[in-house]
């Protein structure tokens, strides 16, 4: 008896939508990145910059900083009161800026393909014959007589079995893990922050002569 | 991670390393140049503003990171 044809391993896998299994999470990660970048930019523009001027430019919000310098006297002893100066610094420069982005996407796909087919055929037949009949006959020739008796017994038994067994299992496990982390700032952003920092110009508000 | 940020020293242009969280709580940070006796801190007039922005920024960062984590 022919069993169902088994699918080859290649056939089993060719039906999988690999493009969406892998592409889907990656597309979602790219969209998440765009959203994170947008949210961060909005926040920085709204909290670290003045509202846009008529020409659309924004100036950074400045905070006041206090610089203290210990003054050393000619004899090497420090003066009791240090010189104090003031300067302005863009608020942006003191924030621990990091780019937030998806830094890891892993797609785990596990598939188990199990197919088996077995055909067991068992034929057994046993025949038992036991016919039972009783007969008797008698014949006589002259003074002699013959008597014949006998018995015949017959039984018949036939058994036959045919087993076939087919097993197929497909199991699939699909795991997508997305992790977002803090990445170093792009070069362009660090250049802007450096430019702000380099422009630091202290203004002396109080000083003591050494 | 403390002292992960830096600004140039207004006096000698060496690096002043600072931790933003401590900075916005009023702490003073010294210039890394041992011959320069300069230290810097946020003025009390700007401290609240700086602290608010820092805390909002950090909490927003955490929210974004938590939202984007999936399993
Ligand atoms: Zn210095």
């Amino acid at each position: 008896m022919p069993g169902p044809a088994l699918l080859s391993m290649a056939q089993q896998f060719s039906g999988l939508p690999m493009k969406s299994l892998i592409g889907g999470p990656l597309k979602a990660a790219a969209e998440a990145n765009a959203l994170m970048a947008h949210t961060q930019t909005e926040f920085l523009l709204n909290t670290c910059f003045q509202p846009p001027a008529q020409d659309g430019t924004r100036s950074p919000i400045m905070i006041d900083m206090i610089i203290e310098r210990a003054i050393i006297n000619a004899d090497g002893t420090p003066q009791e009161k240090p010189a104090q100066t003031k300067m302005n610094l863009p608020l942006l420069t003191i924030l621990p800026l990091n780019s937030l982005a998806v830094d890891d996407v892993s797609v785990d796909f596990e598939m188990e393909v199990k197919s088996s087919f077995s055909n067991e055929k068992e034929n057994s037949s046993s025949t038992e014959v036991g016919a039972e009949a009783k007969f008797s006959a008698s014949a006589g020739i002259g003074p002699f007589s013959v008597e014949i008796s006998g018995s015949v017994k017959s039984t018949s038994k036939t058994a036959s079995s045919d087993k076939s067994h087919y097993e197929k299992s497909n199991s699939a496990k699909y795991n997508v893990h997305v992790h977002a982390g803090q990445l170093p700032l792009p070069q362009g952003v660090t250049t802007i922050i450096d430019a702000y920092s380099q422009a630091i110009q202290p203004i002396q508000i109080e000083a003591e002569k050494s | 991670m403390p002292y992960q940020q830096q600004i140039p020293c207004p006096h000698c242009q060496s690096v002043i390393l600072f931790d933003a969280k401590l900075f916005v709580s009023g702490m003073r940070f010294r210039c890394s140049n041992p011959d320069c006796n300069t230290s810097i801190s946020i003025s009390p007039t700007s401290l609240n503003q700086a602290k608010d922005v820092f805390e909002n920024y950090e909490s927003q960062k955490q929210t974004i990171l938590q939202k984007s984590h999936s399993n």
Side-chain angles (χ1 to χ4, degrees), chain A residues 128-194:
Chain A
E128 203 182 310
V129 180
E132 199 171 358
K134 283 187 182 170
F135 57 92
S136 61
S138 60
I141 306 164
F144 302 100
S145 70
V146 178
E147 194 175 302
I148 303 162
S149 68
S151 77
V152 178
K153 188 180 163 190
S154 171
T155 58
S156 176
K157 193 169 112 186
T158 304
S160 160
S161 75
D162 185 352
K163 293 179 193 166
S164 70
H165 168 78
Y166 179 68
E167 191 183 277
K168 187 184 169 193
S169 87
N170 285 321
S171 73
K173 209 167 87 181
Y174 183 57
N175 263 331
V176 181
H177 181 78
V178 179
H179 179 269
Q182 303 185 28
L183 305 179
L185 285 180
Q187 187 73 41
V189 180
T190 52
T191 306
I192 293 169
I193 294 171
D194 282 350

Side-chain angles (χ1 to χ4, degrees), chain A residues 90-113:
Chain A
L91 179 54
L92 186 70
T93 56
I94 65 152
L95 287 183
L97 296 176
N98 287 104
S99 295
L100 302 182
V102 171
D103 58 2
D104 182 58
V105 179
S106 60
V107 180
D108 303 319
F109 184 69
E110 234 176 66
M111 184 176 171
E112 186 194 13
V113 180

Side-chain angles (χ1 to χ4, degrees), chain A residues 43-44 47-48 63 90-98 185 193, chain B residues 4-5 18 20-21 23-24 49-58 61:
Chain A
F43 178 86
L44 292 175
T47 58
C48 298
I63 51 168
L91 179 54
L92 186 70
T93 56
I94 65 152
L95 287 183
L97 296 176
N98 287 104
L185 285 180
I193 294 171
Chain B
Q4 59 179 343
Q5 288 176 259
F18 70 94
K21 195 178 178 180
F23 217 8
V24 298
Q49 184 188 16
K51 194 174 179 178
D52 283 352
V53 171
F54 170 81
E55 282 169 359
N56 285 340
Y57 177 70
E58 284 296 287
K61 204 150 84 172

